[in-house]
């Protein structure tokens, strides 16, 4: 990542108003308007003033703190030799100055929350829960200044509701909206008369360039490659796994006799099955028709039957949860052996073997 960025006069003016002790700043806007760069500028400005800073990255698709699919936080200590971007010689609106950014947004995080996908759509609750937990962690650090980056998901009705709930959960002192005010007022209008929130509007930085979907995919791949560069594959027995965000590894595993019966009912081999409270989850070689699923449900007097093919597991990202309930690593399911009843999970050190629970993400690496 380029360690320099350009600062314009509007950035300087706004920073002089909001980079103060005990402030929380939330930055929103659509994609490719410079949100992440502006967050880095604010953090660098606060550090130059001697503030202890915490950056919270909720952009799960283009994460700069923690691997993609996660919400990460990074604490940054002030550097006595750091020069404030605001302290440089003033420039006119038509000029720009290049400023050194010394913040090490290298993909590492002090702590992160596993959302499990690179898109907010379909994961709004996870994004909100993770954001709140990471903000609580940021507050526990006694930081002087907290800055929060967000995804570019703002246009459709669920996106508006997501951003509004995020504002209400965080209760920031300042909301910085980058982009055309007309497209952002659908989010901010209801807060315009509320005195606990200061709303600021910035136009996109003129040097911002639109990223193609291929460039975004390449960036994610590079981030994943870096994160898993020192990983290894570990064998995790089914008996150890306590599943989260998945219908599997939470019920009673079917025995061999039951698998034979279920295979006859399904008209195909059933590799694995689990019983719940009047529910059944199956792993089969090919998708089952609605008629067969209905037949199994009625024959066994069940309320729900879930059937997945074995590719459900392949290259799926998982969050590895420790005894404190925090995510301490992200893993990749590299394989599943139904005969040995174990998953092969790639992760750092022995993270998979030590996990108390495994949260299944929606994202599968290609």
């Amino acid at each position: 990542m380029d360690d320099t960025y350009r600062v314009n006069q509007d950035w300087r003016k706004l920073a002089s108003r909001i980079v103060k002790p005990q402030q929380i700043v939330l930055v929103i806007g659509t994609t490719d308007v410079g949100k992440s760069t502006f967050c880095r500028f604010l953090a660098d400005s606060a550090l130059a003033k001697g503030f202890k800073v915490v950056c919270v990255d909720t952009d799960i698709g283009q994460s700069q703190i923690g691997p993609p699919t996660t919400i990460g936080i990074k604490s940054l200590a002030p550097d006595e030799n750091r020069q404030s971007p605001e302290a440089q010689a003033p420039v006119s609106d038509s000029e720009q100055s290049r400023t050194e950014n010394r913040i090490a947004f290298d993909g590492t995080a002090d702590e992160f929350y596993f959302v499990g996908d690179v898109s907010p759509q379909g994961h709004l609750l996870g994004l909100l829960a993770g954001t709140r937990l990471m903000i609580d962690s940021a507050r526990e650090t006694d930081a002087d200044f907290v800055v929060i980056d967000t995804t570019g998901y703002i246009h459709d009705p669920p996106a508006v509701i997501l951003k509004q709930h995020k504002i209400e959960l965080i209760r920031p002192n300042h909301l910085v909206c980058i982009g055309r005010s007309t497209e952002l007022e659908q989010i901010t209008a209801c807060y315009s008369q509320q005195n606990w929130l200061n709303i600021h509007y910035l136009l996109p930085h003129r040097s911002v360039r639109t990223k193609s979907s291929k460039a975004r995919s390449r960036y994610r791949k590079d981030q994943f490659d870096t994160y898993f560069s020192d990983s290894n594959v570990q064998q995790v027995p089914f008996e150890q796994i306590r599943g989260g965000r998945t219908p599997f590894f939470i019920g009673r595993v079917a025995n061999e006799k039951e698998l034979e019966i279920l295979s006859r009912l399904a008209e195909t081999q059933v590799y694995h099955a689990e019983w719940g409270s009047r529910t059944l989850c199956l792993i089969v070689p090919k998708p089952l028709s609605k008629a067969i699923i209905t037949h199994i449900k009625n024959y066994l007097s069940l309320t729900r039957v879930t059937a997945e093919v074995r590719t459900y597991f392949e290259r799926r990202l998982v969050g590895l949860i420790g005894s404190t309930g925090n995510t301490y690593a992200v893993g990749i399911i590299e394989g599943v052996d139904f005969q040995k009843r174990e998953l092969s999970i790639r992760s750092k050190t022995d993270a998979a073997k030590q996990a108390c629970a495994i949260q299944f993400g929606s994202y599968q690496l290609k």
Side-chain angles (χ1 to χ4, degrees):
M1 180 178 295
D2 188 1
D3 286 335
T4 60
Y5 51 78
R6 294 186 181 275
V7 181
N8 63 26
Q9 190 69 5
D10 291 337
W11 283 20
R12 296 175 188 279
K13 289 179 181 178
L14 183 54
S16 68
R17 297 171 60 188
I18 66 179
V19 180
K20 297 177 180 179
Q22 306 306 312
Q23 300 297 295
I24 297 177
V25 181
L26 176 65
V27 180
I28 68 171
T30 190
T31 56
D32 299 325
V33 293
K35 296 188 302 296
S36 298
T37 307
F38 183 70
C39 287
R40 295 167 69 187
F41 164 71
L42 288 181
D44 207 35
S45 300
L47 289 167
K49 288 187 174 183
F51 298 162
K52 183 179 180 181
V53 176
V54 173
C55 297
V56 183
D57 188 354
T58 72
D59 189 351
I60 56 176
Q62 298 288 293
S63 310
Q64 294 187 23
I65 302 173
T69 73
T70 68
I71 297 171
I73 64 172
K74 184 96 173 177
S75 296
L76 301 163
D79 180 353
E80 293 180 358
N81 298 318
R82 183 186 298 272
Q83 183 183 10
S84 171
E86 302 166 62
Q88 297 180 1
V91 296
S92 68
D93 290 342
S94 61
E95 295 175 320
Q96 294 175 326
S97 63
R98 186 171 288 277
T99 302
E100 183 181 359
N101 178 22
R102 303 178 187 176
I103 298 174
F105 283 132
D106 55 2
T108 64
D110 299 333
E111 183 179 349
F112 58 73
Y113 177 90
F114 181 66
V115 176
D117 207 344
V118 297
S119 171
Q121 293 172 289
H123 303 88
L124 305 189
L125 288 177
L127 264 173
L128 290 172
T131 297
R132 180 53 192 261
L133 288 171
M134 293 300 96
I135 292 296
D136 287 348
S137 292
R139 288 189 170 112
E140 290 172 3
T141 65
D142 296 323
D144 302 303
F145 190 80
V146 178
V147 58
I148 305 140
D149 195 5
T150 59
T151 70
Y153 180 56
I154 67 168
H155 287 114
D156 61 28
V160 172
I161 293 171
L162 170 65
K163 288 296 189 287
Q164 290 176 336
H165 282 315
K166 191 172 287 190
I167 291 166
E168 290 160 11
L169 278 174
I170 296 171
R171 301 281 291 191
N173 305 98
H174 299 275
L175 176 66
V176 178
C177 307
I178 305 180
R180 295 190 302 272
S181 59
T182 51
E183 69 179 357
L184 292 164
E185 283 174 350
Q186 60 181 338
I187 297 171
T188 63
C190 63
Y191 306 106
S192 60
Q193 302 300 315
Q194 298 185 35
N195 58 18
W196 60 271
L197 180 64
N198 299 287
I199 303 174
H200 314 273
Y201 293 94
L202 283 177
L203 290 174
H205 200 295
R206 66 184 62 187
S207 62
V208 167
R209 297 292 180 266
T210 300
K211 296 178 185 175
S212 67
S213 59
K214 287 185 178 179
R216 291 178 178 277
S217 296
R218 282 196 303 270
Y219 177 80
R220 283 195 292 269
K221 182 181 184 303
D222 289 344
Q223 292 295 88
F224 282 128
D225 287 346
T226 299
Y227 182 78
F228 288 107
S229 61
D230 59 347
S231 63
N232 59 78
V233 177
Q234 301 148 47
Q235 311 307 319
V236 184
F238 285 0
E239 289 75 13
Q240 177 191 325
I241 300 171
R242 298 294 179 269
R245 307 177 189 170
T246 177
F248 299 100
F249 309 114
I250 56 176
R252 181 181 71 78
V253 177
N255 58 39
E256 291 298 325
K257 183 62 176 177
E258 289 171 328
L259 288 177
E260 290 178 9
I261 296 171
L262 291 171
S263 295
R264 289 198 297 271
L265 290 172
E267 299 179 7
T268 188
Q269 182 180 3
V270 175
Y271 298 124
H272 177 78
E274 291 183 27
W275 303 96
S277 175
R278 297 191 64 197
T279 65
L280 176 66
C281 299
L282 309 170
I283 299 292
V284 289
K286 60 183 181 179
L288 299 184
S289 68
K290 289 184 179 180
I292 288 180
I293 290 176
T294 300
H295 173 62
I296 295 172
K297 184 170 66 173
N298 293 339
Y299 185 84
L300 297 174
S301 299
L302 301 173
T303 57
R304 186 177 72 252
V305 173
T306 302
E308 297 284 355
V309 296
R310 65 184 303 153
T311 53
Y312 170 86
F313 295 98
E314 292 177 3
R315 302 285 290 170
R316 183 176 293 273
L317 289 185
V318 292
L320 305 174
I321 311 302
S323 58
T324 61
N326 297 325
T327 309
Y328 63 91
V330 173
I332 308 170
I333 299 177
E334 296 283 15
V336 56
D337 190 323
F338 293 107
Q339 293 296 321
K340 293 183 179 179
R341 296 167 53 81
E342 63 184 18
L343 290 178
S344 298
I345 299 179
R346 177 176 295 280
S347 67
K348 295 176 179 290
T349 62
D350 292 329
K353 290 184 177 180
Q354 297 171 359
C356 294
I358 297 178
Q359 293 177 339
F360 278 54
S362 301
Y363 192 71
Q364 290 177 278
L365 286 173
K366 297 180 180 179

